Amino acid sequence: MTRLSVEQEELTQLVRSWVDQEVLPVASAFDHRDEFPEELVEAMKEMGLFGITIPEEYGGLGLDLLTYALVIKELARGWISLAGVINTHFMAAWMIMTYGSEEQKLHYLPRMVTGEMRSAYSMTEPQAGSDVQAITTRARREGDEFVIDGSKMWVTNGLRADMIMILTVTDPTAEPRHRGMTAFILEKEAGVSHQPGLIVPPQLKKMGYKGVESTELIFEGFRTPASSVLGGEVNIGAGFKQFMAAVELGRVNVGARAVGLATCALEQAVKYANERETFGKKISKHQAIQLKIAQMGTKIKASELLVFDAAEKKAEGGRVDLEAGMAKYFATETALEVATESMRIHGGYGYSQEFMVERLYRDAMLLILGEGTNEIQQLLIARRLLE
Ligand SMILES: Cc1cc2nc3c(=O)[nH]c(=O)nc-3n(C[C@H](O)[C@H](O)[C@H](O)COP(=O)(O)OP(=O)(O)OC[C@H]3O[C@@H](n4cnc5c(N)ncnc54)[C@H](O)[C@@H]3O)c2cc1C
């Protein structure tokens, strides 16, 4: 990994200190109440985190993807749900920066920078997760508008977002199917469950990743102007490729979240091992515990190198499905393993809500599923290696 710049060091340090002081003391309580952390999100807006990678000409910090990954790691060390609040927003902003028309950039990016406008990213449907080409949500042209019908599933930030980057089918007869798919930038009312053409049912009840809502979205005749096709109408049929490129970023993000979560699990394990005594000594003096700590630390370091390498390569442009897939796969499996080992080191107390490791254990499970399951990552990695 290249040496960090002063700016990268300073921003990382700022977020780390904020997480130590403001997030770690309250994250588990928010998680147990499944409460949206309004004040923490406001503080993230003030730190400029909603516009880290958006160019300065639109008011953002204009920083690179590595800096983004560093910040996500620090946020996730406190609570992965905070990283979840900005990730779909960041992916949508990246899609507008990369594929949007100049008019769309001017319209959306300055308001996304401040967090005044927040975005969701939606491709999954009730019957189509890993198999994205099986989506059926339909966008039909009617005059100067498209009319959207269908259901989306697991939309993170689905209720509070003002805007949804959505993948739809515009031509169901296209072969291969992905050529008939189009991305739209849909504007909606934030925080409203019923609006013309769109119902947002109550948020899904989850095992972890609490606080940030994941919802279904039901479209019934939702109208959007033809100008809301991402990048303009020349991009009708290009949506699948645009979404797949953004998913690579999502994988870097999930990998960075995994490194942050695992770092926290290791810190909690070390703290506990230096306090708890059995058989007349601190448990950190038992070699069986030391072996666990050594393995946890080494695998976290390896994860960090894979994730930051993928972030740097993606920033250089081009395809990074192999690097992002490896980073996501290894870092998230490591996070689950480290959270489990940290639970074991905590003994019976790890099972109690008094210690934060139970939250880390529940949250780690999401990471192996989201942004493409780890089975799918392995298929992608193998396909590239076999080529
Ligand atoms: C909390 C949460 C938040 C999410 N947020 C978003 C979001 O904001 N936007 C969004 O679009 N999506 C989101 N998702 C969806 C997520 O990306 C999907 O759940 C994930 O891709 C898996 O899809 P699925 O659940 O339909 O599983 P399926 O695709 O049905 O897979 C079921 C099982 O079969 C395995 N499998 C499937 N195909 C193969 C194969 N070819 N070979 C081997 N094994 C296979 C899978 O690995 C898995 O183990 C979110 C999910 C969760 C849980």
Side-chain angles (χ1 to χ4, degrees):
M1 203 177 103
T2 48
R3 249 181 101 79
L4 298 186
S5 67
V6 175
E7 202 174 21
Q8 285 170 325
E9 289 279 8
E10 281 177 359
L11 185 60
T12 310
Q13 192 51 51
L14 172 76
V15 178
R16 187 179 305 149
S17 310
W18 176 71
V19 162
D20 281 334
Q21 285 159 27
E22 308 291 338
V23 179
L24 281 166
V26 297
S28 290
F30 272 105
D31 166 274
H32 295 154
R33 295 194 300 269
D34 199 357
E35 181 182 331
F36 185 76
E38 203 76 63
E39 284 176 16
L40 298 179
V41 172
E42 285 307 310
M44 283 159 57
K45 287 181 188 170
E46 278 164 31
M47 284 187 276
L49 302 189
F50 281 80
I52 304 179
T53 53
I54 297 178
E56 283 168 307
E57 59 184 298
Y58 301 106
L61 298 179
L63 299 171
D64 61 9
L65 286 176
L66 175 60
T67 314
Y68 179 72
L70 288 163
V71 166
I72 290 297
K73 175 197 155 188
E74 296 305 332
L75 289 177
R77 189 178 142 262
W79 188 18
I80 65 161
S81 296
L82 294 181
V85 169
I86 60 170
N87 186 46
T88 59
H89 181 85
F90 156 77
M91 286 160 83
W94 182 85
M95 290 175 83
I96 294 173
M97 278 148 52
T98 310
Y99 305 111
S101 64
E102 205 43 51
E103 203 183 339
Q104 287 169 340
K105 290 179 193 171
L106 285 169
H107 181 70
Y108 290 108
L109 296 178
R111 286 189 288 159
M112 292 179 83
V113 161
T114 56
E116 170 204 335
M117 178 170 237
R118 288 185 42 211
S119 181
Y121 166 94
S122 174
M123 57 182 188
T124 303
E125 296 186 0
Q127 81 297 345
S130 307
D131 185 4
V132 178
Q133 293 196 52
I135 66 162
T136 55
T137 293
R138 187 82 163 86
R140 281 188 188 80
R141 177 118 203 188
E142 273 187 21
D144 289 342
E145 293 180 320
F146 277 84
V147 181
I148 303 195
D149 289 285
S151 286
K152 289 289 178 185
M153 188 64 183
W154 289 118
V155 187
T156 301
N157 299 303
L159 179 66
R160 291 181 179 83
D162 309 75
M163 188 255 266
I164 310 161
M165 186 66 74
I166 189 175
L167 186 63
T168 65
V169 177
T170 39
D171 178 5
T173 63
E175 277 300 334
R177 276 184 296 185
H178 68 78
R179 293 221 178 109
M181 293 184 184
T182 302
F184 287 87
I185 310 173
L186 298 191
E187 288 195 36
K188 73 183 218 1
E189 264 186 82
V192 174
S193 57
H194 285 71
Q195 52 198 282
L198 174 61
I199 297 170
V200 186
Q203 69 182 66
L204 299 159
K205 292 203 181 301
K206 298 172 291 194
M207 169 182 171
Y209 198 38
K210 298 202 183 228
V212 56
E213 79 277 10
S214 304
T215 69
E216 193 176 351
L217 296 177
I218 301 169
F219 293 94
E220 287 171 344
F222 185 90
R223 291 182 171 273
T224 187
S227 58
S228 64
V229 171
L230 176 62
E233 292 186 61
V234 286
N235 280 318
I236 288 176
F240 182 81
K241 283 191 180 153
Q242 294 168 335
F243 263 74
M244 288 304 116
V247 135
E248 287 177 6
L249 290 178
R251 288 179 184 155
V252 172
N253 169 286
V254 173
R257 279 194 234 180
V259 175
L261 183 148
T263 302
C264 183
L266 174 61
E267 286 169 0
Q268 296 304 312
V270 167
K271 183 164 174 274
Y272 191 78
N274 282 326
E275 285 165 6
R276 180 76 174 172
E277 290 189 9
T278 65
F279 302 97
K281 53 184 173 184
K282 305 275 188 223
I283 60 170
S284 60
K285 300 286 180 206
H286 297 305
Q287 281 193 343
I289 299 290
Q290 292 173 1
L291 297 186
K292 285 184 192 293
I293 299 285
Q295 287 164 14
M296 291 156 84
T298 307
K299 288 186 180 174
I300 294 171
K301 184 70 195 171
S303 302
E304 191 170 87
L305 292 172
L306 279 171
V307 170
F308 294 156
D309 175 65
E312 282 182 314
K313 293 226 165 77
K314 181 78 183 169
E316 286 163 13
R319 183 177 171 183
V320 293
D321 53 348
L322 179 65
E323 292 82 357
M326 285 179 170
K328 194 268 174 182
Y329 168 50
F330 188 82
T332 57
E333 292 291 341
T334 296
L336 183 58
E337 190 182 322
V338 170
T340 309
E341 289 301 309
S342 184
M343 283 278 281
R344 287 172 185 244
I345 290 172
H346 280 75
Y349 293 95
Y351 210 62
S352 149
Q353 289 198 343
E354 195 189 326
F355 290 87
M356 72 170 75
V357 68
E358 59 85 27
R359 168 172 64 81
L360 303 176
Y361 178 77
R362 287 184 285 110
D363 283 349
M365 277 305 295
L366 169 72
L367 302 173
I368 64 163
L369 304 170
E371 306 295 347
T373 66
N374 280 2
E375 288 78 12
I376 296 296
Q377 303 309 314
Q378 289 172 76
L379 297 181
L380 295 173
I381 294 165
R383 189 183 303 158
R384 287 298 309 279
L385 294 178
L386 289 165
E387 263 168 21

